[in-house]
Amino acid sequence: MSDFQHFHLLNINLLQDPILQKVSELLDQTSSKGWRKLAELVANDKRFKLSSLELHQCSLKVMDSEGSPSRSLLRLMGDRGCNTKELTEFLQTMGQSDAIHLLRPQGIKVVVQPDSMAVLSGQLVKLCCTATGHPLVNYQWFKMNKEVPQGNSSELAFSPVHVNDAGFYICRVNNANSFDFSDWTQLDVCESNLTYHGIPGLPENKIHICNQPQPQTLTVGDRLVLECAAIGRPLPHYRWYKSGHALKDATKKLYMVSSVTMEHCGVYWCQVTNGNETEVSKEVEVVVGFGNLWTNMAAAMECTEEELSGFTDTEQTNEHLFATDKVALLIGNMSYRNHSQLKAPMVDVYELTNLLRQLDFKVVSLLDLTELEMRNSVEEFLLLLDKGVYGLLYYAGHGYENYGNSFMVPIDAPKPYRSSNCLCVQSILKLMQEKETGLNVFLLDMCRKRNQYDDTILIPESLKVTANIVFGYATCQGAEAFEIQHSDLANGIFMKFLKKRLLEDKKITVLLDHVAEDMGRCQLTKGMQALEIRSSLSEKRALTDPIQQTACSPDSLARNMQWAKAHELPGSMCIEFDCGVKIQLGFAAEFSNVMIIYTQIIEKPPEIIYCNANVTDFPVDLHVDPKDTNRGTPEETGSFLVSKDLPKHCLYTHLSSLQTLKENLTFSVCLRYTYQGIEDAVDDRKEVDVGKPLIAKLDIHSGLRRHFCVQTCHVPHSPCHSPELAPGAAGPSHIFTSPQYSQSRLNVYNPSPRSVMRSENCQQGSDSASVGMQHFSECKSTNNIPVETTDELDHTLYESTSVSKNN
């Protein structure tokens, strides 16, 4: 039903007061086409059954100083069920065209469009949109197809604006009758390499170059990157020139040549304009030479034999490395069945996911996996790897290290656990090497104490002698890793310092060195936890290296499809019941195996005075906790991380462990409603099938695809056995009485005031993030660029008292 049709079926008592007031004034002031003529027509209509006494009472309203016979008559007609369409028909019979015009829904139109602009980070920036229409106009801003939190006024303010705020924005305006969209506007935010502090916004039609291109000396085959960034309003446009000639298709801030030749030598500059003003950057020279012997186009360089020898022995300092793709698998295990529970992996995995996505990594983030699920997740991760791909594996949870081999402990590991119950990291590295990856990074946030119940000496298959392998251990060999607890959220010590550095454009080992130095200054864990780095890095590889896909090969297509399968959310849907109630269902991803369902009643007939809708009847293999369903806030379901990005005034349901789904995700939408004047409530329900969302599509709960352990590492169950029975195959746990063994990350408790963390020692910052989400509102179709921010958290670190250690 359209907004127009819905308006005409509206009971006239539900019309807005300004409309009714204007119609009443018009009918009161008109004799031949006034309220008495309307009363005569209504009295003769059997549908409304107005008595002579009631009409007489309407006429008496003229005796009141502010009384209105027309308003009284309209109220009586509304009480008899008269709608806008029927009132319009009466007015047409009377020839009262002026009143009909007042009843027609007014359109809405954007009259002031938001301006595209380029600004410096740190400024106060406002995007403005103004619309006309009656009744009141509502505003909602979107960044691409993602709703902007608190973006519900005509001005969208950034105070101050950050680089992460850059993107395309649009404003939806609506009233009760219609809606309209503004034009797309682009906000470009520049980080200047100049020293601007509190620079005010530039006047309109002005432009200023804040980042100038820099001269470069390159080798044949190197990549050329020139940057010119300007701020201004309207948005600046760029045109690059070389030696006085405009370069073809060089119309962006960055001018890049993937592989330079001698022909690229010359003098470059950039012209920037916004249609009203033009500025030209400084001229810079690009020199290209063969090998390490640089050739200037203006003059040849002479080198002695001794100098030439020095060039040969010196590493090239201008290597431009790239990845063919970037993929990451993040696993956080917390809810152990037989061991102490952890808290930090949830926040750590979430924050690392958001940071890696800013570095263009394809990220799969998973919480609480069994052994079978962990092995199959690694198998899916390996499918995403190929030659030149950067692969990153992050694990947070219980773990140990024996004889140089690191083991990650699944949530279903028995007590005590052995290597046959866990995943060997070195075995995963061996399989990654077979893919000829460009960079292998392992970030292991777990303990590295020896497991005294596991005396198996594993003899791994020989690892290839390959470079570009980096291990970042959260703690030293033989030591524990700690986490910081506060309320319902926690951070691991390693992630607390890593997230502040991860976006830096530095060689990965240099970045980790700085993280180690930061951790060393934390007095609360000094002497207990220190970052250890192991590396065979032979190139200046960094997580910020760009992605350069040389060709769209079948392998890369398959890789992208496999990754996309793990991130498909159900689309927002509207459920309509026979009674006229409409329920909107939306879906958001917190992790690759954790989803939020949010429900909202968007329409109900006026005769229904109360209605409530819940989702229920989920598949039994999901183990949905009732206290996590149909709650008034996301926090009540245990979802603290994406709550600020979800729509308000909904009921929220938290579904975890989506990897356990064996069939489609089906559930019921149960509606309970009450009609006016009837005490008994009516129940109705609709069945919903949303397929297999997110990681459920990959069926990692099913039988083992391949073995990841080395030759002497026994796999505890075959594909035909349930993972629940796996620990028994590794050896009966009942022969041990209260065994004490190594823990992965110590939850430590507070025996003294000195355990409270001081902000100057370990300060938590806010990071940018990403969340996939389907929204209720209509929006123009375009690419989705999800970006969120996490709020700053206060934490408390506790000293260890009750957790046993394996010394």
Side-chain angles (χ1 to χ4, degrees), residues 96-111:
Q96 183 52 271
S97 58
D98 292 337
I100 294 173
H101 178 74
L102 291 173
L103 288 174
R104 285 175 179 169
Q106 300 299 308
I108 192 168
K109 183 180 180 181
V110 175
V111 293

Side-chain angles (χ1 to χ4, degrees), residues 345-607:
M346 178 179 70
V347 178
D348 291 351
V349 169
Y350 181 79
E351 293 184 332
L352 184 58
T353 297
N354 296 332
L355 292 170
L356 290 175
R357 283 178 176 163
Q358 294 182 61
L359 298 174
D360 296 325
F361 272 83
K362 293 180 172 70
V363 183
V364 175
S365 58
L366 301 169
L367 295 183
D368 291 332
L369 301 185
T370 64
E371 179 194 348
L372 177 62
E373 292 164 354
M374 285 183 71
R375 294 184 186 278
N376 288 341
S377 297
V378 172
E379 167 71 9
E380 297 293 341
F381 173 59
L382 292 170
L383 292 176
L384 299 177
L385 301 181
D386 201 357
K387 186 175 183 179
V389 174
Y390 285 13
L392 185 147
L393 174 64
Y394 172 79
Y395 171 75
H398 287 316
Y400 69 96
E401 184 170 310
N402 274 16
Y403 307 105
N405 292 311
S406 302
F407 294 92
M408 303 179 293
V409 181
I411 63 168
D412 61 341
K415 187 173 185 178
Y417 44 70
R418 296 174 173 80
S419 60
S420 57
N421 314 121
C422 306
L423 270 71
C424 178
V425 175
Q426 282 68 27
S427 298
I428 299 174
L429 172 59
K430 173 67 169 57
L431 296 170
M432 291 175 70
Q433 285 181 309
E434 295 175 359
K435 300 285 187 174
E436 300 182 22
T437 44
L439 177 65
N440 298 317
V441 179
F442 293 85
L443 301 176
L444 303 178
D445 201 351
M446 65 184 200
C447 280
R448 297 176 66 199
K449 297 200 70 166
R450 194 180 77 80
N451 182 358
Q452 63 183 8
Y453 296 101
D454 183 13
D455 292 327
T456 305
I457 301 177
L458 300 182
I459 306 175
E461 298 179 26
S462 299
L463 293 173
K464 294 182 179 181
V465 181
T466 57
N468 301 331
I469 300 172
V470 178
F471 278 85
Y473 295 96
T475 191
C476 296
Q477 189 172 15
E480 296 92 3
F482 292 86
E483 62 182 24
I484 314 161
Q485 295 186 0
H486 174 74
S487 184
D488 293 302
L489 297 176
N491 253 140
I493 286 288
F494 176 39
M495 184 55 62
K496 184 171 186 64
F497 293 98
L498 175 65
K499 67 184 180 183
K500 298 178 183 179
R501 298 276 188 181
L502 197 71
L503 298 181
E504 295 178 357
D505 186 14
K506 294 177 180 176
K507 184 179 177 181
I508 178 62
T509 49
V510 174
L511 185 149
L512 290 175
D513 281 335
H514 291 164
V515 175
E517 294 169 5
D518 294 342
M519 289 178 61
R521 288 189 287 269
C522 180
Q523 297 299 317
L524 296 174
T525 55
K526 202 164 189 176
M528 297 187 293
Q529 180 175 349
L531 179 63
E532 182 176 332
I533 306 165
R534 295 183 182 179
S535 167
S536 65
L537 201 61
S538 63
E539 299 172 306
K540 197 175 180 180
R541 299 273 177 178
L543 298 181
T544 54
D545 289 343
I547 296 175
Q548 182 176 318
Q549 295 177 331
T550 55
C552 197
S553 65
D555 288 338
S556 66
L557 285 174
R559 186 167 64 246
N560 289 331
M561 290 178 62
Q562 192 73 4
W563 177 81
K565 283 172 61 177
H567 294 82
E568 291 180 3
L569 273 171
S572 177
M573 60 183 66
C574 180
I575 309 297
E576 184 171 0
F577 288 83
D578 294 338
C579 63
V581 174
K582 292 182 180 179
I583 310 296
Q584 191 79 33
L585 291 180
F587 306 86
E590 192 170 31
F591 298 92
S592 299
N593 64 337
V594 178
M595 185 173 74
I596 311 296
I597 301 177
Y598 46 96
T599 61
Q600 186 180 51
I601 298 173
I602 58 173
E603 185 177 320
K604 72 178 182 67
E607 60 270 19

Side-chain angles (χ1 to χ4, degrees), residues 17 114 132 182 235 264 298 320 372 486 543 585 648 669 675 677:
D17 285 338
T132 59
S182 72
L235 191 74
H264 292 101
H320 296 286
L372 177 62
H486 174 74
L543 298 181
L585 291 180
K648 307 301 181 184
V669 179
Y675 285 104

Side-chain angles (χ1 to χ4, degrees), residues 3 71 120-121 169 195 201 212 296-297 330 336 360 560 626 687 691 708 714:
D3 290 335
R71 186 70 182 88
L120 281 177
S121 61
Y169 290 82
T195 55
Q212 296 282 356
N296 192 310
M297 297 300 291
L330 280 53
Y336 283 87
D360 296 325
N560 289 331
E687 301 296 325
F708 296 106
H714 172 64

Side-chain angles (χ1 to χ4, degrees), residues 96-372:
Q96 183 52 271
S97 58
D98 292 337
I100 294 173
H101 178 74
L102 291 173
L103 288 174
R104 285 175 179 169
Q106 300 299 308
I108 192 168
K109 183 180 180 181
V110 175
V111 293
V112 177
Q113 299 287 351
D115 292 330
S116 294
M117 65 184 77
V119 298
L120 281 177
S121 61
Q123 293 181 243
L124 170 62
V125 174
K126 292 182 180 179
L127 299 178
C128 301
C129 173
T130 305
T132 59
H134 181 80
L136 297 176
V137 176
N138 301 311
Y139 295 85
Q140 182 57 59
W141 288 87
F142 292 82
K143 183 178 182 183
M144 302 305 286
N145 66 342
K146 181 181 177 184
E147 195 171 351
V148 178
Q150 286 81 49
N152 49 12
S153 66
S154 61
E155 288 188 347
L156 180 62
F158 303 88
S159 179
V161 69
H162 301 287
V163 174
N164 293 336
D165 295 321
F168 288 88
Y169 290 82
I170 195 171
C171 185
R172 181 186 187 272
V173 293
N174 72 285
N175 58 18
N177 310 312
S178 61
F179 66 90
D180 192 15
F181 282 95
S182 72
D183 295 336
W184 283 105
T185 183
Q186 182 179 357
L187 177 63
D188 187 16
V189 184
C190 301
E191 280 281 12
S192 176
N193 54 17
L194 302 177
T195 55
Y196 285 91
H197 300 283
I199 183 171
L202 288 173
E204 288 192 31
N205 305 327
K206 295 296 183 181
I207 199 168
H208 175 71
I209 295 177
C210 55
N211 287 346
Q212 296 282 356
Q214 300 299 315
Q216 296 191 32
T217 304
L218 306 173
T219 303
V220 171
D222 283 349
R223 188 171 66 141
L224 169 64
V225 180
L226 294 173
E227 179 184 8
C228 177
I231 57 175
R233 178 179 176 186
L235 191 74
H237 298 281
Y238 301 85
R239 166 64 70 182
W240 285 91
Y241 292 84
K242 171 180 174 285
S243 303
H245 301 285
L247 295 169
K248 184 180 180 181
D249 299 326
T251 57
K252 297 181 180 179
K253 287 193 295 185
L254 289 178
Y255 174 68
M256 293 189 295
V257 178
S258 58
S259 179
V260 297
T261 65
M262 296 297 295
E263 295 179 354
H264 292 101
C265 290
V267 177
Y268 292 76
W269 71 87
C270 186
Q271 183 185 75
V272 187
T273 181
N274 62 358
N276 302 294
E277 192 175 62
T278 300
E279 276 202 11
V280 177
S281 73
K282 70 178 183 180
E283 297 180 351
V284 295
E285 186 175 11
V286 174
V287 179
V288 181
F290 292 99
N292 288 311
L293 299 178
W294 309 110
T295 303
N296 192 310
M297 297 300 291
M301 173 189 287
E302 294 185 0
C303 299
T304 65
E305 185 175 345
E306 181 179 355
E307 290 171 335
L308 180 60
S309 175
F311 275 122
T312 305
D313 295 337
T314 303
E315 291 184 359
Q316 296 182 13
T317 58
N318 281 307
E319 291 180 309
H320 296 286
L321 303 173
F322 62 87
T324 58
D325 207 346
K326 299 180 186 178
V327 297
L329 172 63
L330 280 53
I331 299 176
N333 284 343
M334 304 182 299
S335 306
Y336 283 87
R337 300 172 185 174
N338 304 305
H339 311 291
S340 60
Q341 306 290 295
L342 302 174
K343 286 189 176 181
M346 178 179 70
V347 178
D348 291 351
V349 169
Y350 181 79
E351 293 184 332
L352 184 58
T353 297
N354 296 332
L355 292 170
L356 290 175
R357 283 178 176 163
Q358 294 182 61
L359 298 174
D360 296 325
F361 272 83
K362 293 180 172 70
V363 183
V364 175
S365 58
L366 301 169
L367 295 183
D368 291 332
L369 301 185
T370 64
E371 179 194 348
L372 177 62

